[in-house]
Amino acid sequence: QVQLVESGGGLVQAGASLTLSCVASGQSFSTYVMGWFRQAPGKERECIATTSSSGGATYYVSAVKGRFTISRDNAKNTVYLQMNSLKLEDTAVYYCNAGSVCYAGVSQPGDSWGQGTQVTVTS
């Protein structure tokens, strides 16, 4: 079990940037693949990015590739999601997840979720 807490969401205009943070309480943070998921109203929760234990490998869903950057600081037990050029369709609740397995056609979360942080993008 890993306790995760997201922060950094908010209300921004299209084209703006926002950085989300996820702080883990566990002692084994550096052993987990960490992921960011999002869920918009009426839509499935989708995996949008993951980073390997060391941060050396990343995955992005096509919709965010080139605009979002996932990173981690294992010394701080923190995962980040830098979001640039935000679009209206990025509006969703964003969740971090420990133990994610995500690639083309696969979106498999681990058992540990944060509480979510709302990102709302306006025109």
Side-chain angles (χ1 to χ4, degrees):
Q1 183 181 354
V2 179
Q3 288 75 48
L4 306 171
V5 179
E6 302 98 334
S7 63
L11 179 67
V12 299
Q13 296 186 42
S17 296
L18 200 61
T19 300
L20 307 182
S21 299
C22 173
V23 179
S25 64
Q27 296 179 336
S28 57
F29 172 78
S30 63
T31 70
Y32 288 95
V33 173
M34 297 297 299
W36 285 97
F37 289 66
R38 68 183 182 186
Q39 187 166 26
K43 297 184 178 180
E44 295 284 320
R45 188 175 298 188
E46 63 173 342
C47 180
I48 59 170
T50 63
T51 181
S52 62
S53 298
S54 67
T58 57
Y59 159 82
Y60 300 95
V61 71
S62 295
V64 309
K65 191 173 184 179
R67 298 189 298 119
F68 292 9
T69 302
I70 187 171
S71 62
R72 67 193 298 160
D73 186 339
N74 286 342
K76 297 181 178 179
N77 278 15
T78 302
V79 177
Y80 305 95
L81 186 67
Q82 175 68 51
M83 303 183 292
N84 297 325
S85 302
L86 283 162
K87 304 175 180 179
L88 292 177
E89 53 263 43
D90 295 320
T91 295
V93 178
Y94 285 71
Y95 301 88
C96 63
N97 176 260
S100 310
V101 179
C102 305
Y103 51 93
V106 176
S107 185
Q108 181 64 53
D111 292 334
S112 297
W113 293 97
Q115 84 287 354
T117 186
Q118 176 72 48
V119 173
T120 302
V121 183
T122 63
S123 62

